[in-house]
Amino acid sequence: MLKTKGIVIREMKYRDTSKIITIYTEDRGKISVMARGANNPKSKLIGVTQVFTLSDFQFNSGRNFYFISQADIVDSFYSIREDIERVIYGYYILELVDKSISVEQENKNIYGLLEKSLEVLSELNDDFLKFIIAYEIKFISFLGYKPYLEGCVNCNSKEAKEIRFSIEKGGILCENCFSQDQYSQPMSGKIYDLMVKLLYAKLDELESIDSEDSDLDILHDIIVKYILVNIDRKKFNSLQLLEGLNVQNS
């Protein structure tokens, strides 16, 4: 029997009354769980098998799946479901974890980041893009691909007058090394400073960081490309939903 905290990051209907859910756990990483009868209106598992929900679980191990023997909700993060922007950014946070991490790959830093991000998101009313960039930079760093920002990633020069961000090399390039990556992304000093601040700031202490929407858009584009390259993916479905929402609101 396995006892651990975990957050439901994906759910899929299985036959008429059951679900297969994916849970990111504190002690075992990402696992697939069979929730028998969870789609039955009278089931005690309805709440604990919904996405975003954090619970204390007890699992029995089967041949292909874990099976829930007991579960108690710690936090449903229900308020995320009450706002369309929270929902879409929330699904993006879950999709990042689901698509980036292999089964049963434990990473307590990412688990802690995931739990904290849902806690902050559940109370967020604005500055969603600033929040999600801070989450993305921390996430990819905890995954082992922390961008090198202390100097030029190629020559380590700290006296650069102009810089670009190299997705291929994973850090900034000085003007003398631009030729090392012809696809490197332009980056102003202001966007560089914003990136550093968001990397090290706490998720619930972002209000003091000044930012302009145009700079956030550029930085977000760079970080998403950097993440996709390092996890060997082409896109995030939840970000396409967000782009559609932004077009609708504009």
Side-chain angles (χ1 to χ4, degrees):
M1 182 177 290
L2 169 65
K3 296 182 179 181
T4 184
K5 284 201 303 181
I7 296 167
V8 179
I9 61 174
R10 181 157 51 93
E11 59 179 306
M12 180 178 67
K13 184 177 180 181
Y14 180 74
R15 295 180 178 173
D16 291 333
T17 60
S18 299
K19 287 182 184 179
I20 296 173
I21 59 175
T22 303
I23 303 176
Y24 195 70
T25 68
E26 184 176 32
D27 301 317
R28 195 61 64 90
K30 187 173 73 171
I31 61 174
S32 292
V33 177
M34 176 66 71
R36 290 170 172 161
N39 279 327
N40 188 318
K42 296 182 180 180
S43 174
K44 296 180 180 179
L45 298 179
I46 289 179
V48 298
T49 57
Q50 293 183 356
V51 290
F52 302 121
T53 303
L54 165 66
S55 300
D56 286 320
F57 288 100
Q58 290 186 25
F59 302 114
N60 290 317
S61 181
R63 179 176 296 179
N64 298 313
F65 298 100
Y66 288 94
F67 294 86
I68 299 175
S69 59
Q70 184 175 331
D72 299 298
I73 293 177
V74 176
D75 197 331
S76 67
F77 299 112
Y78 184 78
S79 61
I80 291 178
R81 302 172 179 85
E82 296 179 323
D83 180 271
I84 187 62
E85 285 190 279
R86 289 180 193 154
V87 168
I88 295 177
Y89 278 113
Y91 272 114
Y92 175 49
I93 287 170
L94 301 186
E95 188 180 5
L96 264 176
V97 174
D98 191 27
K99 287 190 174 180
S100 303
I101 298 177
S102 302
V103 173
E104 298 201 23
Q105 179 184 340
E106 179 190 345
N107 189 320
K108 289 188 181 295
N109 286 329
I110 287 182
Y111 175 83
L113 178 66
L114 175 60
E115 187 175 324
K116 183 65 177 180
S117 70
L118 295 181
E119 176 188 323
V120 174
L121 180 61
S122 66
E123 299 180 357
L124 202 63
N125 294 309
D126 52 23
D127 285 337
F128 288 99
L129 187 54
K130 185 198 296 184
F131 159 77
I132 208 66
I133 295 171
Y135 173 82
E136 289 169 331
I137 300 174
K138 298 175 198 308
F139 177 83
I140 196 64
S141 297
F142 288 152
L143 205 59
Y145 303 103
K146 181 179 178 181
Y148 187 74
L149 304 175
E150 290 74 24
C152 176
V153 69
N154 189 63
C155 71
N156 205 35
S157 171
K158 295 176 174 57
E159 304 296 329
K161 295 179 181 178
E162 295 181 37
I163 58 172
R164 297 173 71 93
F165 186 85
S166 171
I167 291 170
E168 177 186 342
K169 293 182 176 294
I172 59 171
L173 291 172
C174 68
E175 64 270 21
N176 296 322
C177 297
F178 287 170
S179 61
Q180 297 298 313
D181 181 3
Q182 61 177 322
Y183 300 109
S184 58
Q185 306 289 301
M187 177 176 278
S188 67
K190 189 166 61 170
I191 293 176
Y192 167 80
D193 290 340
L194 180 60
M195 187 176 187
V196 173
K197 289 176 181 177
L198 292 178
L199 171 60
Y200 293 108
K202 295 181 180 179
L203 287 177
D204 54 2
E205 297 180 0
L206 301 177
E207 298 89 348
S208 61
I209 300 176
D210 294 327
S211 60
E212 296 180 8
D213 290 345
S214 58
D215 292 335
L216 289 171
D217 288 338
I218 293 170
L219 182 54
H220 187 234
D221 182 64
I222 291 172
I223 297 301
V224 170
K225 289 177 180 176
Y226 182 58
I227 293 173
L228 288 171
V229 164
N230 282 291
I231 67 171
D232 196 24
R233 297 279 180 175
K234 292 185 178 180
K235 65 179 182 180
F236 293 112
N237 295 328
S238 48
L239 282 187
Q240 292 183 308
L241 291 175
L242 186 62
E243 289 170 4
L245 177 66
N246 289 337
V247 169
Q248 182 178 349
N249 292 338
S250 61

